[in-house]
Amino acid sequence: MIASLSDSFAIAQAWLFETVVQPLLFWSGLGEFTENAFEGTEWFLIGVCELVLLWLVLRPLEAMIPVHAFDDRRARWNDFIYTVVHRLGAFTLVIFFLLDPLIDQFTAFLHLHGIHQFDLDKIWPGVTDLPLVSFFLYLLVLDFFDYWYHRAQHNIGWWWGLHSLHHSQQNMNLWSDDRNHLLDDLLRDLFLAVIALFIGVQPGQYVLLVALSRILQSVQHANIRLHFGSVGERLLVSPRFHRLHHAIGIGHESRGRGSLGGHNFAVLFPVWDLLFGTARFGDGFALTGIRDQLPPPQGKGRDYGRGFWRQQWLGLRRMVEYGQRARR
């Protein structure tokens, strides 16, 4: 069954590339990027499969067991635009065409000076070279670095200015995982790609690692009344656990009103929050958003924007504003 699906996917990738992508590359004079574009076609098709799977599974669950009714139906559509932009390969193509040559030069520089990548699957020969073991090991290590990246987003002023766009969604839904500032997404994708390169993740493995992580994160953000129990929520981030991370106040403040920080930064595995003292558990499903977007007197009534481009512009303004505060 798996082999059959893999073969069907490979056939679809080859057909799309040969019929649409490759002719466009040669027509536009970009034939030198043929190899990267073939990989980009794979990312595009995986993104399409993700969108279909999420719609078929999570959308019915949101209708059956919602946390709350939406007060802004446009919010879901706007988040869907973010998901399409991100998961159909737009950011991957940017990295391929603009940043991949830089990474290759940097890797060559390290090799020239005797610094080589660290292959995690060579740690325990006979065990870590098993495909499933090495896959989980890579997933765990990437998640560890993603935890610290995410924590930095909440504790560095200018970075929170960008990342706060993600937290400003008061109608969180299955598409909200990708509701991020474009610059923030680009930084994160590059960071994880570099980490994957240095620990020896192969391109084919990386595609699957990213796809699995994105699907799980979509589940976490869905408007579904779901948790994994007291034990399960310490093993895998659930919608209830992650909703606390998006809660007004709790999710973005650690030292009182107006401070930076928060709780539940783990992307996939809560073990990092448990180890580093940032875990918080609760029985309810919190309201989401940011304190300063609430109307007075609870907040300042701050505008985070409703449309895609408005949200992007306001994110840049917040980045500058928070950066200036940090220098005072």
Side-chain angles (χ1 to χ4, degrees), residues 17-65:
F17 178 76
E18 294 171 2
T19 307
V20 179
V21 178
Q22 191 174 46
L24 283 175
L25 285 176
F26 288 121
W27 174 80
S28 59
L30 298 173
E32 61 187 290
F33 297 110
T34 299
E35 183 177 348
N36 286 341
F38 185 74
E39 296 179 23
T41 305
E42 180 182 20
W43 283 97
F44 174 82
L45 285 177
I46 286 178
V48 170
C49 293
E50 285 183 48
L51 292 179
V52 173
L53 178 64
L54 295 175
W55 178 263
L56 291 176
V57 176
L58 294 183
R59 187 65 187 89
L61 286 176
E62 286 193 330
M64 292 169 54
I65 50 173

Side-chain angles (χ1 to χ4, degrees), residues 151-199:
R151 192 164 171 177
Q153 288 175 306
H154 281 252
N155 286 279
I156 298 175
W158 67 266
W159 219 341
W160 170 248
L162 289 177
H163 185 60
S164 56
L165 166 60
H166 180 67
H167 280 258
S168 66
Q169 180 56 282
Q170 295 175 294
N171 292 273
M172 210 160 72
N173 60 86
L174 76 152
W175 309 119
S176 294
D177 172 46
D178 293 303
R179 174 196 171 99
N180 298 300
H181 198 279
L182 297 178
L183 177 57
D184 201 13
D185 260 343
L186 186 60
L187 291 173
R188 179 175 179 268
D189 283 1
L190 178 60
F191 172 75
L192 291 178
V194 170
I195 295 299
L197 173 71
F198 280 108
I199 63 175

Side-chain angles (χ1 to χ4, degrees), residues 222-254:
N223 182 38
I224 52 179
R225 192 170 291 274
L226 178 68
H227 63 85
F228 302 153
S230 59
V231 175
E233 290 200 335
R234 285 162 173 78
L235 300 176
L236 187 66
V237 173
S238 73
R240 183 174 69 177
F241 182 85
H242 193 67
R243 199 172 183 89
L244 266 176
H245 173 70
H246 279 263
I248 299 172
I250 295 173
H252 54 270
E253 298 171 343
S254 293

Side-chain angles (χ1 to χ4, degrees), residues 105-116:
Q105 292 176 20
F106 184 56
T107 305
F109 172 81
L110 293 177
H111 286 175
L112 183 64
H113 291 79
I115 303 174
H116 301 282

Side-chain angles (χ1 to χ4, degrees), residues 60-308:
L61 286 176
E62 286 193 330
M64 292 169 54
I65 50 173
V67 175
H68 60 80
F70 288 174
D71 56 24
D72 181 8
R73 292 291 173 180
R74 182 182 172 185
R76 194 202 307 269
W77 170 251
N78 197 52
D79 287 359
F80 178 71
I81 294 174
Y82 279 98
T83 303
V84 169
V85 168
H86 192 272
R87 301 207 185 185
L88 294 191
F91 276 87
T92 304
L93 290 176
V94 169
I95 290 176
F96 277 156
F97 289 123
L98 299 180
L99 302 175
D100 194 51
L102 297 177
I103 294 176
D104 287 342
Q105 292 176 20
F106 184 56
T107 305
F109 172 81
L110 293 177
H111 286 175
L112 183 64
H113 291 79
I115 303 174
H116 301 282
Q117 67 186 44
F118 180 70
D119 292 327
L120 286 179
D121 55 5
K122 300 295 191 298
I123 290 178
W124 190 354
V127 176
T128 54
D129 55 358
L130 295 173
L132 286 178
V133 174
S134 62
F135 183 85
F136 178 75
L137 186 60
Y138 285 133
L139 191 66
L140 193 65
V141 171
L142 287 172
D143 192 58
F144 170 78
F145 283 100
D146 213 359
Y147 165 86
W148 286 107
Y149 183 95
H150 191 186
R151 192 164 171 177
Q153 288 175 306
H154 281 252
N155 286 279
I156 298 175
W158 67 266
W159 219 341
W160 170 248
L162 289 177
H163 185 60
S164 56
L165 166 60
H166 180 67
H167 280 258
S168 66
Q169 180 56 282
Q170 295 175 294
N171 292 273
M172 210 160 72
N173 60 86
L174 76 152
W175 309 119
S176 294
D177 172 46
D178 293 303
R179 174 196 171 99
N180 298 300
H181 198 279
L182 297 178
L183 177 57
D184 201 13
D185 260 343
L186 186 60
L187 291 173
R188 179 175 179 268
D189 283 1
L190 178 60
F191 172 75
L192 291 178
V194 170
I195 295 299
L197 173 71
F198 280 108
I199 63 175
V201 179
Q202 298 303 310
Q205 288 176 310
Y206 189 61
V207 172
L208 295 177
L209 287 165
V210 171
L212 176 60
S213 177
R214 293 192 309 200
I215 290 172
L216 291 174
Q217 289 176 68
S218 292
V219 174
Q220 298 165 12
H221 289 83
N223 182 38
I224 52 179
R225 192 170 291 274
L226 178 68
H227 63 85
F228 302 153
S230 59
V231 175
E233 290 200 335
R234 285 162 173 78
L235 300 176
L236 187 66
V237 173
S238 73
R240 183 174 69 177
F241 182 85
H242 193 67
R243 199 172 183 89
L244 266 176
H245 173 70
H246 279 263
I248 299 172
I250 295 173
H252 54 270
E253 298 171 343
S254 293
R255 296 171 295 278
R257 184 184 294 263
S259 65
L260 295 180
H263 298 85
N264 298 5
F265 299 110
V267 178
L268 298 180
F269 304 117
V271 62
W272 312 125
D273 284 304
L274 292 168
L275 284 175
F276 301 111
T278 54
R280 182 156 181 168
F281 297 91
D283 296 329
F285 290 82
L287 294 176
T288 63
I290 303 174
R291 191 187 301 281
D292 69 1
Q293 73 184 140
L294 299 177
Q298 297 95 335
K300 300 178 181 178
R302 182 163 198 161
D303 178 22
Y304 282 80
R306 295 190 67 199
F308 180 91

